[in-house]
Amino acid sequence: QVQLVESGGGLVQAGGSLRLSCAASGSIFSINVMGWYRQAPGKQRELVADMTNGGRTNYADSVKGRFTISRDNAKKTVYLQMNSLKPEDTAVYYCKLRIPASGYDYWGQGTQVTVSS
């Protein structure tokens, strides 16, 4: 059973920084994509950034230059460093693990990020 546990959310002022972590437990196929999505009230869930086990990254245009995704494959953990935060970054942030070979997606429980103006 694969589980994802996120941490690092919280309340921060505009211009501040936060670092999110997501640790996966259980047996995970080595070829995978780990990433972060977010959902603001009244909006659809959207991709923030993801990263393959080989290191290829993908970012939403709205976070390019401000957010950095990284991962530690040995620890089965993905991170999201968020700098220069804006009020519009306020959302619940979800970690996702995708196993391309099976088509399975696993989701974390979400962590709230609130940016005050």
Side-chain angles (χ1 to χ4, degrees):
Q1 183 77 8
V2 175
Q3 289 189 324
L4 302 175
V5 178
E6 299 126 331
S7 60
L11 172 65
V12 65
Q13 287 189 330
S17 297
L18 283 173
R19 188 190 194 212
L20 305 182
S21 299
C22 171
S25 62
S27 180
I28 299 171
F29 191 62
S30 60
I31 300 174
N32 58 71
V33 182
M34 296 187 78
W36 294 93
Y37 288 68
R38 66 186 180 187
Q39 188 167 19
K43 294 188 176 182
Q44 289 188 329
R45 192 172 298 188
E46 62 177 3
L47 172 70
V48 177
D50 62 23
M51 188 172 189
T52 68
N53 57 288
R56 187 175 65 214
T57 59
N58 181 37
Y59 290 93
D61 288 342
S62 59
V63 307
K64 284 181 181 177
R66 299 189 298 123
F67 292 9
T68 302
I69 190 169
S70 61
R71 57 187 285 172
D72 184 330
N73 291 331
K75 295 182 178 179
K76 295 185 286 186
T77 299
V78 65
Y79 307 95
L80 185 68
Q81 178 66 43
M82 304 185 292
N83 298 329
S84 302
L85 282 161
K86 304 175 181 180
E88 51 263 43
D89 294 318
T90 295
V92 178
Y93 283 69
Y94 296 91
C95 176
K96 185 178 106 169
L97 167 67
R98 179 168 180 83
I99 310 296
S102 65
Y104 280 4
D105 290 338
Y106 301 91
W107 291 92
Q109 80 284 359
T111 185
Q112 177 71 46
V113 171
T114 302
V115 184
S116 63
S117 58

